[in-house]
Amino acid sequence: MTQPDHRGRTRVRREVVSFVRRSARMNPQQSKAWNAHHDRWVLDVPRAETDTSIDPTYTVDLAEAFGRSAPLIVEIGPGMGDSLVPMARAHSDFNVLAFEVFQPAVARILGRLASEAVQNVRVVQADAVEGLTTLVPQSSVDRLWMFFPDPWHKLRHHKRRLLSPEFADLAASRMKPGGLWQLATDWADYATQMRAVLDNHELFSNCHADGWAPRWEGRPVTRFEQRGIEAGRRIFDLSYRRR
Ligand SMILES: C[S@@+](CC[C@H](N)C(=O)[O-])C[C@H]1O[C@@H](n2cnc3c(N)ncnc32)[C@H](O)[C@@H]1O
């Protein structure tokens, strides 16, 4: 939303978002990967106010964007693609749509997709909240992946955490009944928050009687997970079925 500031200049009013608006300058290697592979794997979107927004009137035909109809996986915040690229390769029967705000990270993903010749991924450089809202049809997602979302561990920053009741409502609306939402975090209090939101959500049921999922073997250890392990933190996996 735009509104005039006290000097009468128009500025963008920022909502609370789950990411830091950092300088997104790419290094030469990332620029090279972006230029070489952008057309093949990036799904370009028209922007609204910011460079991670999506024009809310935009529509896309995902089957056309992927070049085929297939069950849909959405990954939120894949970072450098440490898990996205090998997991997409292991799920070649699925179309994998990834939302990542940080352009240098997207460039790293593109380099890996190209070198490993992974065809079934499209990356949108945008806020996943806007991406799910605008690009993803209702009841269309078979699997939702969200691994090591930014923990915002200071109490005053908890409002920036992506997983909230509102976000769970959005996810539920986009997932197919029977779809699977898999999450992981190395921050115990965020894991507890995820449980509190999702265990109490009428449209999700926890797949595991004791609450936590066993570590999913198919999920490669990313640098964020490794950092948590080295710091002595427990890794929490969670798995929910959309009712
Ligand atoms: C801590 S990193 C984890 C990356 C990756 N999942 C892994 O395990 O290596 C979190 C990532 O989520 C991205 N992110 C945070 N909020 C996001 C949002 N609303 N939409 C898209 N990406 C987001 C950040 O830019 C960052 O790359």
Side-chain angles (χ1 to χ4, degrees), residues 23 41 47 114 143 179 182 202:
S23 150
W41 281 281
R47 305 296 181 182
R143 307 228 185 133
Q182 289 162 292
E202 60 181 6

Side-chain angles (χ1 to χ4, degrees), residues 18-19 22 75 77-79 99-102 126-128 147-148 150 162 222 224:
S18 64
F19 49 92
R22 327 170 238 187
E75 178 160 6
F99 295 108
E100 171 55 58
V101 282
F102 192 45
D127 181 355
F147 305 131
F148 303 94
D150 292 316
L162 194 51
T222 67
F224 288 97

Side-chain angles (χ1 to χ4, degrees), residues 17-20 22 52 75-84 98-103 105-106 109 124-131 145-152 160-162 167 184 186-187 219-225 227:
V17 289
S18 64
F19 49 92
V20 184
R22 327 170 238 187
T52 54
E75 178 160 6
I76 293 169
M80 307 285 183
D82 290 347
S83 51
L84 168 65
F99 295 108
E100 171 55 58
V101 282
F102 192 45
Q103 191 184 20
V106 175
I109 294 173
V124 184
Q125 192 232 322
D127 181 355
V129 174
E130 299 198 31
W145 293 341
M146 191 164 138
F147 305 131
F148 303 94
D150 292 316
W152 294 108
R160 284 175 164 266
R161 287 178 169 174
L162 194 51
F167 186 75
D186 57 331
W187 290 93
R219 185 173 62 68
V221 177
T222 67
R223 71 201 69 193
F224 288 97
E225 178 168 7
R227 202 181 290 167

Side-chain angles (χ1 to χ4, degrees), residues 53-75:
S53 66
I54 302 176
D55 176 345
T57 63
Y58 182 64
T59 54
V60 67
D61 179 338
L62 288 179
E64 193 181 316
F66 280 94
R68 66 172 186 176
S69 293
L72 183 63
I73 294 173
V74 171
E75 178 160 6

